[in-house]
Amino acid sequence: MSGNTTGSGPDRAGEDTADFGYERVRLSEKQARVDDVFRSVARRYDLMNDLMSGGLHRAWKSHLIGMLRPSKTRPHRHLDVAGGTGDIAFRTLEAGGPDTHVTVLDINEAMLRVGAERAGAKYDGRIDFVTGNAETLPLPDNSFDSYTIAFGIRNVPRIDAALREARRVLKPGGRFLCLEFSRVDLPVLEKIYDAYSFHVIPRIGERVAGDRESYQYLVESIRKFPSPGAFAAMIGAAGFSHVTHRRLSGGIVAIHSAWKIS
């Protein structure tokens, strides 16, 4: 598995660069290229997650909502970032009470359109879909009880900026939860997982979605994401407290948890 090489830094010419899968690109280019990937797969996003996780993403997301536990009796304002299709948002609304409200924020309008279509009129008055960048949230300080980002943080060019923004918009006592692919910690499973990821997923993506390159990038982006310990250090550096992580499915994914104390 690759080392902790994700993030941004200057190239030899002094211009900031970032990982785009295994490729190093100008920082200013990464967001546009990520947008192209998700514009391509927006209508097949659930299928994409099924292909990449063998269907396990549904159980992982249920585990995430179980940790979130929105109140069934008190008002609860939740922000789901990079969640355009609404999967986490709908689960949050179903788990919470009638005074639970979710704002779904995504930089990709194609993903948001899918989410809005899926929501229909079912959650009228309880859900908003907002176009925005995780690095510069168009939202006020201290306004949300909780924040989630599921399988999205590794696609953010400046992860440290996104973490600082997450803390900014959370109320004191608010909780940050991030579900992301991680590092498999079982040697036998790691070999199987690598073979499946690099040899099977891109081929299925090509056959099912007609898009091998997007699926290849998504596999590579997982390998470039920091280890759980390194990512926990980044969360702490952003000002969060009580930072922990929980590995699931042999370390294929991890749920990172932290709190804004003040």
Side-chain angles (χ1 to χ4, degrees):
M1 308 289 279
S2 62
N4 303 333
T5 56
T6 194
S8 60
D11 61 12
R12 292 182 179 179
E15 184 171 0
D16 282 345
T17 62
D19 293 321
F20 182 78
Y22 286 164
E23 186 180 355
R24 199 73 182 170
V25 300
R26 289 195 298 270
L27 193 61
S28 58
E29 290 181 3
K30 177 171 179 176
Q31 189 63 67
R33 294 183 66 172
V34 169
D35 287 349
D36 287 342
V37 168
F38 284 94
R39 191 175 298 111
S40 172
V41 303
R43 293 286 169 185
R44 304 179 182 88
Y45 186 69
D46 288 336
L47 174 61
M48 179 191 76
N49 282 332
D50 280 330
L51 292 176
M52 296 188 71
S53 71
L56 285 171
H57 74 99
R58 302 174 192 277
W60 298 333
K61 290 172 180 176
S62 293
H63 199 112
L64 178 73
I65 300 303
M67 293 176 65
L68 179 61
R69 294 193 302 275
S71 175
K72 290 186 175 293
T73 58
R74 298 188 306 276
H76 187 102
R77 291 190 58 83
H78 178 69
L79 174 63
D80 184 46
V81 173
T85 61
D87 206 15
I88 297 298
F90 303 151
R91 291 167 184 263
T92 302
L93 290 167
E94 295 293 338
D99 292 324
T100 296
H101 184 279
V102 178
T103 296
V104 181
L105 182 139
D106 203 300
I107 200 169
N108 193 296
E109 293 186 357
M111 298 284 280
L112 288 168
R113 283 195 296 271
V114 172
E117 290 170 8
R118 290 178 63 191
K122 183 176 182 180
Y123 303 109
D124 273 359
R126 300 179 64 206
I127 188 168
D128 296 321
F129 291 89
V130 176
T131 303
N133 190 322
E135 299 174 5
T136 53
L137 296 173
L139 302 165
D141 297 355
N142 305 314
S143 52
F144 292 94
D145 298 291
S146 52
Y147 171 118
T148 53
I149 182 165
F151 304 122
I153 195 76
R154 72 182 190 280
N155 299 309
V156 175
R158 300 176 181 85
I159 293 175
D160 54 349
L163 292 172
R164 289 194 298 269
E165 280 290 273
R167 186 182 184 281
R168 178 183 68 78
V169 301
L170 280 170
K171 298 175 184 178
R175 191 174 194 184
F176 168 88
L177 287 168
C178 173
L179 170 62
E180 188 53 85
F181 286 105
S182 188
R183 305 293 175 85
V184 175
D185 53 9
L186 300 173
V188 174
L189 178 59
E190 181 181 16
K191 291 181 179 179
I192 296 171
Y193 181 54
D194 277 353
Y196 176 73
S197 296
F198 285 101
H199 300 293
V200 177
I201 289 177
R203 291 178 183 175
I204 295 176
E206 184 174 25
R207 289 188 177 185
V208 175
D211 188 351
R212 182 187 182 97
E213 290 184 359
S214 292
Y215 288 80
Q216 184 70 37
Y217 158 72
L218 290 165
V219 169
E220 292 176 1
S221 70
I222 293 169
R223 299 307 190 275
K224 297 296 288 184
F225 192 68
S227 68
F231 186 50
M234 294 175 70
I235 297 170
F240 283 102
S241 301
H242 305 299
V243 181
T244 61
H245 67 270
R246 183 178 301 178
R247 296 174 183 263
L248 302 176
S249 302
I252 293 176
V253 300
I255 298 178
H256 302 266
S257 170
W259 299 83
K260 178 179 177 177
I261 299 304
S262 62

